[in-house]
Amino acid sequence: MAFEAHRARLTAVAYRVLGSHADADDAVQETWLRLSRQDANAIDDLGGWLTTVVGRISLDLLRSGRTRPTVPLDNQLPEPTVTLDDGPTPEELVTLGDSVGLALLTVLDSLGPTEITAVVDPVELALMDLPDPV
């Protein structure tokens, strides 16, 4: 049906007006019901007609108060505080990761196959190229 080609745009218009996906879906559904009562072939510009109808339905929902009430969070949330991030920079994290990775490989090279199985995750163990046990 031609309505489905316009559904995403109608939902976006209704959402911008109403601010809720559920209310936007209700407005789009009501638009579809109104279209089903009309002769769609008699409408010259179906996209424009649908946009106008969904816009008017959305405004009617806002005016009637049928939309879900919103609770202001202004007085419930604490005041935001700005703190300095004294943690490592991204470059330092990369350097640390590289050095830890190299140290881990050095340790694994010094371990035997039995010791490696106690340290390494079995999935990672399957991916590693280990010598056959003696």
Side-chain angles (χ1 to χ4, degrees), residues 23-119:
D23 292 333
D25 287 340
D26 291 345
V28 171
Q29 183 177 11
E30 179 64 28
T31 302
W32 182 85
L33 289 172
R34 291 190 187 182
L35 176 63
S36 68
R37 291 185 226 132
Q38 300 290 324
D39 180 17
N41 296 328
I43 300 171
D44 292 332
D45 180 13
L46 183 61
W49 187 87
L50 290 170
T51 302
T52 301
V53 171
V54 80
R56 288 180 181 166
I57 290 171
S58 298
L59 290 174
D60 289 345
L61 284 172
L62 281 177
R63 288 185 192 123
S64 70
R66 284 182 25 206
T67 60
R68 290 169 182 79
T70 57
V71 178
L73 297 176
D74 296 341
N75 54 0
Q76 296 179 3
L77 296 175
E79 288 294 321
T81 56
V82 178
T83 59
L84 294 177
D85 186 12
D86 293 335
T89 65
E91 296 84 13
E92 293 171 338
L93 289 174
V94 169
T95 304
L96 178 64
D98 288 343
S99 63
V100 168
L102 184 58
L104 183 60
L105 287 175
T106 304
V107 169
L108 288 176
D109 283 342
S110 68
L111 299 177
T114 309
E115 296 161 328
I116 290 176
T117 57
V119 175

